[in-house]
Amino acid sequence: MLFNPAIETLPLPKLRKLQNERLRNLVNYVYDRVPFYRQQFDEVGLQPSQIKGIDDLPLLPFTNKQDLRNNYPFGLLAVPRAEISRIHCSSGTTGKPTVVGYTAGDIDIFSEVVARSLAAGGCKPGMMLQNGYGYGLFTGGLGLHYGAEKLGMTIVPVSGGMTERQLMLLQDFKPDVLCCTPSYAQTLAEELQKREIPLESLNLRYALLGAEPWTETIRQHVQNGLGLQATNIYGLSEIIGPGVSQEDVEEPGSGSYVWEDHFYPEIVDKDTGEVLPEGELGVLVLTTLTKRGMPLIRYRTNDITNLFYDQCGKRTHIKMGPIKGRADGMLIIRGVNLFYTQVEEVLQMFEHLTPHYQLIVSREGTMDEVEVHVEVSEKLLRALDLQHISIVELCRFPVLSELSATFGKRLKENTGLTMKVTLKVTGEIPRSEGGKLNRVVDNRQVYA
Ligand code: ADP
C-alpha cells in the first residue's frame, strides 16, 4: 500500500525540482543559523547562492559523526533550544552517543516517513502493531509509535526485551505486525518454538525489522519461525531515525525505497569521498532536505550499500541495497575485507547450521585469525542423538566434522578467507535480549 501516493510516485523530473528547491533553502538556512556550517562553507570559500540544486552537492563538505560529537550536545541546532520539542540519541554502538533535536515539524516528517514505511511493509489502518523497539532516547520506539498512529494503526507500545511479556501479548492481543531488531525477532521465534506455542495461536502477518545489518538467511529464519513476511526498515538517529528507507513487501529482496523527497542519498568512495555511479557499493551519505531542528548536509553514515532505480518498482524513489555493514566495522583480515554479513549469507546454504553465529577475531603472532562459532540445528543433533553432548565432543562425530569442513570451504570460496569453524550446541551463542546484537568479538586489541 502507498501511504502518500502523490509523493511516492512523483515523476522523477518533478521530484528533482522539489529536491533542488529544498536544497537551496537548506543551504541558506544552515548558513544563517548554524555556526558550524557557516564556518565549513567559509573555509572552502562557498557561498550558499552557488548551490543551485542537487547536482551541486559535491561542492559541499561532508558532515561526520565526529562533527556531532565535537558539537555535543546542542551545538548543531538550527533553532533555539526552546523550539525543540523532542531530543533523541544514537544507540552509541561505535562510541559516545550523538544527540539529535526535532522541532514539532520534524516530528511530523518522522511520522510521515514511518507511516509510508509501515504501509510499504504491509501495514494498513486498523491493523495492530506490537512495537518491540526500545522506547526512550533510542529513536526506534517512539519513531515507530508515532508513524503507526499516523497510519491509523492500533499500537501496543511494549518496547524492547521482556520476552515473556512479548510472547504473552503476541498470543493474547494477536497483533498483525511486529517491529523489532532482526536478532530479537530470532529470539522471539526461538522462544516460541521452545515453549511449543503453535503459530496458529498468533495472528502475525508482517514484521518490519531493522537497526542492524541482516541478510536473507535471517529473513528465512524469522519468516518461518514467526509465520510472517519480514521487510527491512533502515534509518539512523542523526538523519531522523527508522524510516529513511523501507522495503516493499510485494517487492521482496529488491532493495528499500529511500524517501528521497526528505533525505537525499549519495554513495561515495570510502577513501576518496568521490561520488560513485549508480549501483556501486560505497558509503551512504544523506542530506536532510526538510528538517529544521538539526538539519545535516552530506552526513557520512558510514553504512556500506548501493543505490539504484528499480524500473519495475511501484514507486519512483531510488532504492538502496541491504547494508553490508559499517565502514568502521569492516574487518581487515590478512589484507582481505570482511563484513560479518558475508558469513551470515553463506549460512543460508546449510540446512543444519542455524543463523546463531559469532565471529571471534584474534591475532596469532602477526597473523589475524577469524573463528566462526555457529550452532548446529537441533534437528541434526536429535537425529544423531547428541542433544546433551558437550561441544568438546562434537567434533568427534564424522557427520559434524564434515559439516564444519564444508562450511569452511564455502566460506573460503565466498570471502577468500580461511576461517576456523567451531560448531556449537543450542544456546551457546549469545542471543539478542531486545536490541542490537553484537556478532563480532574482536580480541586483536588485547594483543596489540
Ligand atoms: P548507532 O549508530 O549508535 O547504532 P542508531 O541507533 O541511530 O545509532 O542506529 C543507526 C545505525 O544502525 C545505522 O547507521 C546502521 O549502521 C544501523 N542500521 C539501522 N537500520 C539498519 C538496517 N535496516 N540494516 C542495517 N543496519 C541498520
Side-chain angles (χ1 to χ4, degrees):
M1 192 186 105
L2 277 68
F3 176 73
N4 187 342
I7 198 79
E8 292 175 50
T9 62
L10 194 65
L12 268 189
K14 288 193 175 160
L15 186 56
R16 286 286 171 268
K17 193 162 168 272
L18 183 69
Q19 290 166 329
N20 290 340
E21 274 165 28
R22 288 180 169 177
L23 181 65
R24 285 196 298 271
N25 285 337
L26 173 72
V27 286
N28 281 297
Y29 181 82
V30 296
Y31 191 78
D32 290 345
R33 288 166 173 254
V34 186
F36 165 78
Y37 278 121
R38 176 178 286 255
Q39 197 187 335
Q40 287 258 78
F41 286 24
D42 288 349
E43 264 171 25
V44 293
L46 186 76
Q47 287 299 313
S49 57
Q50 284 172 259
I51 304 296
K52 310 271 187 254
I54 53 165
D55 289 343
D56 298 321
L57 267 173
L59 296 175
L60 291 160
F62 293 115
T63 311
N64 296 301
K65 207 170 189 110
Q66 192 55 44
D67 297 321
L68 271 69
R69 291 189 174 131
N70 293 345
N71 289 281
Y72 178 89
F74 302 134
L76 290 182
L77 292 184
V79 296
R81 209 275 307 133
E83 287 176 33
I84 291 293
S85 68
R86 199 196 297 167
I87 289 166
H88 278 294
C89 287
S90 69
S91 310
T93 310
T94 57
K96 190 170 180 149
T98 49
V99 178
V100 205
Y102 304 69
T103 62
D106 296 339
I107 297 289
D108 285 343
I109 295 168
F110 196 2
S111 307
E112 156 82 22
V113 292
V114 173
R116 282 187 210 172
S117 301
L118 286 163
C123 302
K124 293 200 170 63
M127 282 186 178
M128 191 191 292
L129 166 69
Q130 182 157 323
N131 188 9
Y133 280 120
Y135 279 66
L137 282 174
F138 174 57
T139 47
L142 287 171
L144 263 301
H145 186 106
Y146 278 69
E149 279 189 355
K150 184 154 185 117
L151 180 60
M153 301 179 78
T154 308
I155 180 135
V156 183
V158 56
S159 193
M162 301 170 290
T163 304
E164 289 304 329
R165 185 177 298 181
Q166 303 273 359
L167 298 178
M168 182 186 83
L169 297 175
L170 287 176
Q171 292 170 89
D172 295 352
F173 291 7
K174 302 203 188 304
D176 308 272
V177 188
L178 172 70
C179 285
C180 59
T181 60
S183 56
Y184 192 54
Q186 284 187 281
T187 301
L188 291 175
E190 188 177 31
E191 294 298 323
L192 273 181
Q193 202 191 7
K194 257 194 218 163
R195 289 166 181 70
E196 297 181 4
I197 300 173
L199 285 182
E200 298 72 60
S201 69
L202 314 183
N203 187 43
L204 282 175
R205 294 174 63 192
Y206 304 109
L208 280 80
L209 310 177
E212 62 187 357
W214 59 305
T215 66
E216 292 302 315
T217 308
I218 288 188
R219 198 199 303 263
Q220 290 312 321
H221 185 226
V222 167
Q223 292 194 152
N224 294 337
L226 294 172
L228 44 69
Q229 280 179 281
T231 54
N232 186 26
I233 182 162
Y234 166 84
L236 63 166
S237 53
E238 293 90 329
I239 296 303
I240 199 121
V244 170
S245 77
Q246 165 69 38
E247 256 178 327
D248 187 293
V249 73
E250 287 165 5
E251 301 167 24
S254 71
S256 303
Y257 289 104
V258 183
W259 306 125
E260 58 166 311
D261 53 320
H262 291 295
F263 318 115
Y264 188 80
E266 302 167 88
I267 293 289
V268 304
D269 182 279
K270 179 169 76 63
D271 301 313
T272 65
E274 218 177 292
V275 179
L276 296 176
E278 198 179 317
E280 280 190 33
L281 271 185
V283 173
L284 177 67
V285 169
L286 290 161
T287 297
T288 63
L289 294 176
T290 48
K291 269 201 333 181
R292 286 293 173 255
M294 204 186 102
L296 293 181
I297 289 186
R298 302 196 85 203
Y299 183 68
R300 284 182 72 124
T301 65
N302 246 338
D303 294 324
I304 305 287
T305 184
N306 59 348
L307 293 169
F308 48 92
Y309 282 100
D310 179 355
Q311 305 306 336
C312 306
K314 42 171 116 67
R315 297 172 182 81
T316 47
H317 294 216
I318 202 160
K319 281 183 166 180
M320 61 181 247
I323 303 287
K324 302 274 175 209
R326 300 185 194 231
D328 50 6
M330 186 179 74
L331 299 166
I332 303 174
I333 309 294
R334 304 190 290 274
V336 178
N337 298 344
L338 178 72
F339 289 111
Y340 69 80
T341 48
Q342 291 173 270
V343 171
E344 189 176 300
E345 276 168 359
V346 178
L347 279 172
Q348 205 185 3
M349 303 173 197
F350 291 84
E351 188 195 342
H352 289 303
L353 294 178
T354 68
H356 296 296
Y357 70 98
Q358 199 168 42
L359 274 59
I360 316 289
V361 189
S362 59
R363 182 164 293 159
E364 303 289 332
T366 54
M367 289 287 268
D368 291 335
E369 302 288 345
V370 183
E371 185 175 342
V372 181
H373 290 183
V374 57
E375 288 179 14
V376 179
S377 77
E378 287 208 39
K379 196 170 153 203
L380 180 63
L381 291 177
R382 255 199 314 274
L384 298 171
D385 201 19
L386 293 180
Q387 294 104 298
H388 305 297
I389 202 149
S390 88
I391 193 64
V392 189
E393 293 166 295
L394 266 188
C395 54
R396 282 211 256 115
F397 291 85
V399 182
L400 296 173
S401 48
E402 210 170 283
L403 178 61
S404 83
T406 322
F407 180 45
K409 210 167 132 215
R410 289 272 174 279
L411 284 173
K412 168 95 187 179
E413 282 164 11
N414 283 268
T415 65
L417 279 168
T418 303
M419 300 181 215
K420 184 175 171 207
V421 173
T422 303
L423 299 183
K424 299 269 182 178
V425 293
T426 313
E428 286 197 317
I429 310 271
R431 304 293 198 260
S432 163
E433 290 173 4
K436 306 186 191 218
L437 181 63
N438 191 2
R439 298 199 189 263
V440 179
V441 178
D442 194 337
N443 290 324
R444 282 180 296 186
Q445 49 275 42
V446 176
Y447 305 91

